[in-house]
Amino acid sequence: MAYIDELREHYKHNGILSTSFTCKSRRACALVNTDSGPKSAFVGSKYGWGLPRLLFISLDAGWAEPCAAKRTPEAVRDELERVGAEKSAPNTHWYRTHELAHAILSQFDSSLRLKTITPHFAHTNASKCCPSGEKGGNASQVAYLNCHRYLKGEIEVLDPDVVVTQGRAAEVGIRALLADEAENPTDEFAAEELLCGRRRFLLRTDHPRYVKGFYKQREQSRCWAIYAEAIQRFYSTIPERH
């Protein structure tokens, strides 16, 4: 529970715990209809257990669960581990996230299957809130700019070895935290980066909803195999890996 407990404290300290929503940008985001209340990151119950710590950063939650208690770190974990990949329709964001997670992590444990991958990765959003009352709407640029400052704390808590951004707003938030030039690039989308104090593997993807860009990258990387192999090489060089 260490990750969950530390994440809860990070959110509470910054006013973005769903049950204690006192974010200093709340009023500004309300003016652009993006003050639905924050949703916690998802952290799988086996995140980092003998595998690289894999964190996805996407756009916004897409829909605001009205009950704040259902948006806490514990509630989000319970909900999404129950849903998994099997109950997600193919070609949806959540299904394709599972597919990429499986492609990466199965390099380290061949017994992993798509239906068993959910507990082994983490996923957060660049905007903690989403449009109020608009299921499937997009967060405003104001909300993304205000929320980017919370990403650093999430990365420090979750300490990922691999970060995958899904969409432009997520990439912009991470780019602001990079300290150096990329090393050992795999291609224009992936490289080793110095991020929040240590080297991590950063992979930039389009959001799966952007069909043209996402599926072109997926195809050209042999269904993510090129990146999975690069991550395996990278992980073998981390002195503090466990």
Side-chain angles (χ1 to χ4, degrees), residues 14 19-20 23 31 43 94 105 150 153 155 167 207 218 223 234:
N14 287 282
T19 52
S20 181
C23 176
L31 295 175
V43 185
W94 198 230
L105 296 179
Y150 302 128
I155 290 170
H207 192 281
R218 178 177 180 268
C223 199
F234 163 73

Side-chain angles (χ1 to χ4, degrees), residues 6 18 21 36 41 59-60 69 109-110 128 136 163 167 173-174 184 235:
E6 291 181 36
S18 61
F21 186 26
S36 60
L59 303 182
D60 65 65
D109 182 353
S110 60
K128 306 310 173 193
V163 176
I174 286 299
N184 303 319
Y235 191 64

Side-chain angles (χ1 to χ4, degrees), residues 19-236:
T19 52
S20 181
F21 186 26
T22 59
C23 176
K24 61 185 179 182
S25 298
R26 183 174 183 177
R27 182 172 295 181
C29 289
L31 295 175
V32 289
N33 194 38
T34 314
D35 63 333
S36 60
K39 181 178 181 179
S40 167
F42 162 72
V43 185
S45 57
K46 297 181 181 179
Y47 175 70
W49 284 20
L51 298 170
R53 290 183 291 270
L54 170 61
L55 172 64
F56 290 87
I57 303 176
S58 191
L59 303 182
D60 65 65
W63 176 68
E65 164 60 57
C67 177
K70 293 184 179 181
R71 291 184 265 114
T72 64
E74 298 86 351
V76 170
R77 170 184 283 179
D78 290 345
E79 176 198 358
L80 294 182
E81 288 199 349
R82 184 172 60 252
V83 171
E86 290 184 302
K87 296 180 182 178
S88 302
N91 299 324
T92 60
H93 165 245
W94 198 230
Y95 184 91
R96 292 304 179 193
T97 298
H98 277 73
E99 179 187 66
L100 179 48
H102 179 258
I104 293 170
L105 296 179
S106 63
Q107 295 280 312
F108 302 88
D109 182 353
S110 60
S111 70
L112 290 172
R113 298 291 180 267
L114 189 65
K115 65 181 181 181
T116 62
I117 203 69
T118 312
H120 296 281
F121 67 89
H123 179 284
T124 193
N125 293 300
S127 173
K128 306 310 173 193
C129 293
C130 62
S132 305
E134 293 186 18
K135 190 169 183 178
N138 296 316
S140 73
Q141 291 304 307
V142 171
Y144 284 122
L145 290 173
N146 287 334
C147 278
H148 280 163
R149 64 177 176 268
Y150 302 128
L151 288 174
K152 182 175 184 290
E154 287 182 310
I155 290 170
E156 290 173 344
V157 169
L158 299 175
D159 193 22
D161 302 301
V162 181
V163 176
V164 179
T165 60
Q166 298 178 308
R168 177 66 177 167
E171 179 189 345
V172 169
I174 286 299
R175 285 290 168 196
L177 300 175
L178 298 179
D180 239 328
E181 292 295 321
E183 298 180 8
N184 303 319
T186 303
D187 60 15
E188 62 185 304
F189 303 109
E192 299 173 23
E193 304 271 9
L194 186 60
L195 172 63
C196 296
R198 78 172 181 86
R199 289 168 55 241
R200 308 175 200 270
F201 191 97
L202 178 61
L203 169 60
R204 297 179 294 111
T205 73
D206 285 310
H207 192 281
R209 284 201 305 264
Y210 178 51
V211 174
K212 182 178 179 180
F214 179 83
Y215 286 98
K216 180 180 179 181
Q217 185 180 8
R218 178 177 180 268
E219 179 181 352
Q220 290 181 343
S221 64
R222 294 189 284 115
C223 199
W224 311 117
I226 290 174
Y227 300 126
E229 291 162 6
I231 289 167
Q232 187 177 47
R233 292 192 297 271
F234 163 73
Y235 191 64
S236 70

